[in-house]
Amino acid sequence: MYSTREKNKITKRKCILDAAIRLFSKKGYEQTSIEELAREAGIGKGTVYSYFQTKKDIVRAFCEDELEFTREELTSNTNPETPLKEQLMIFFSAEFKHLSRNKEFGRLYLQEKVFPGEHHSEEDLEMQNRYFELLFPIYQKAQERGELRQNLELLHISGHFYALYLLVTSCWFNGMIPTENIVEAMSTMLDQVIEGLKP
């Protein structure tokens, strides 16, 4: 159970993130100031800084929330012996659900995640490692079950599948795949790659 103080902190953090989603989507990331963000969230500017030092920290928090949401979806709906495709569908569906809550903020989030700035911070590298820590055991188990070839590097496998997810989401952003067809498109593409990577 959370204490009252912890609940207040969680509530304020959520208010800041929600305000950021609204403002970044409406005005753009660069054009939104921390002062405007504080006003939109209904809190003081100093309070925003006590949670997030920069706007990039806010986007990173969105990434952390997405990763945690995805982890919870996997834990609730699968076990280590669940077939690879089923686990990946849950993983990428959870990512898409989080991303599509707000299209414009989702675009910013993907840009930061896939094409970050030149200088990676410790936090960025830690986030990347947490992502691999979640996926690599899934691929290892799939190799043990004979769903994937043993001689494939885990990083390369991860690249195969994430590239598919990026392709599908890119087509969604461009209007080529409507939201209601995302699951079917992802399923079809996963089938094609898994068949090609089998022993």
Side-chain angles (χ1 to χ4, degrees), residues 11 21 24 52 69 73 76 83 89 91 97 99-100 104 106 157 160 166 168 171 189:
T11 301
I21 288 170
F24 291 171
F52 306 105
F69 176 72
E73 287 289 293
S76 301
M89 284 301 295
F91 184 90
K97 185 176 180 182
L99 168 104
S100 61
E104 289 309 307
I157 296 171
H160 273 294
L166 290 178
V168 171
C171 289
M189 296 188 84

Side-chain angles (χ1 to χ4, degrees), residues 3-197:
S3 68
T4 303
R5 186 177 177 196
E6 287 170 328
K7 283 180 185 173
N8 286 340
K9 284 183 77 174
I10 291 167
T11 301
K12 281 184 182 172
R13 181 182 182 278
K14 185 178 184 313
C15 281
I16 296 167
L17 283 173
D18 288 346
I21 288 170
R22 289 192 299 273
L23 286 177
F24 291 171
S25 300
K26 188 166 86 177
K27 295 190 64 180
Y29 176 75
E30 296 295 340
Q31 289 71 36
T32 300
S33 69
I34 294 289
E35 190 173 344
E36 289 171 309
L37 211 156
R39 197 164 45 244
E40 179 75 14
I43 57 179
K45 187 176 174 181
T47 304
V48 174
Y49 281 119
S50 70
Y51 287 84
F52 306 105
Q53 289 299 303
T54 65
K55 290 186 288 184
K56 184 174 179 180
D57 289 338
I58 294 171
V59 177
R60 191 180 294 118
F62 186 83
C63 295
E64 287 171 358
D65 288 354
E66 178 269 327
L67 191 62
E68 191 51 42
F69 176 72
T70 304
R71 185 188 306 277
E72 286 171 10
E73 287 289 293
L74 269 175
T75 304
S76 301
N77 297 296
T78 69
N79 64 63
E81 297 308 319
T82 301
L84 174 63
K85 181 188 171 184
E86 192 177 328
Q87 290 193 67
L88 290 178
M89 284 301 295
I90 289 167
F91 184 90
F92 290 126
S93 293
E95 276 218 344
F96 181 76
K97 185 176 180 182
H98 197 78
L99 168 104
S100 61
R101 285 189 326 176
N102 186 290
K103 199 168 186 176
E104 289 309 307
F105 196 82
R107 191 191 311 274
L108 176 66
Y109 151 73
L110 267 186
Q111 178 183 325
E112 187 59 39
K113 186 174 181 182
V114 181
F115 302 109
E118 248 179 73
H119 304 291
H120 296 295
S121 67
E122 287 294 321
E123 291 90 350
D124 293 330
L125 294 174
E126 183 188 338
M127 180 72 60
Q128 190 178 66
N129 288 335
R130 284 171 58 198
Y131 184 84
F132 291 135
E133 283 168 11
L134 189 58
L135 283 172
F136 282 5
I138 293 172
Y139 300 139
Q140 283 176 318
K141 278 286 186 184
Q143 285 177 320
E144 289 168 17
R145 288 193 302 266
E147 293 179 274
L148 297 172
R149 295 200 306 271
Q150 290 278 352
N151 64 335
L152 298 171
E153 291 284 335
L154 297 178
L155 182 62
H156 298 164
I157 296 171
S158 191
H160 273 294
F161 291 120
Y162 199 68
L164 291 184
Y165 171 70
L166 290 178
L167 176 61
V168 171
T169 52
S170 174
C171 289
W172 175 72
F173 275 113
N174 293 330
M176 294 169 65
I177 300 178
T179 304
E180 61 272 17
N181 293 350
I182 284 285
V183 171
E184 182 187 353
M186 195 70 218
S187 178
T188 300
M189 296 188 84
L190 284 176
D191 281 335
Q192 291 169 352
V193 170
I194 290 171
E195 283 301 313
L197 296 180

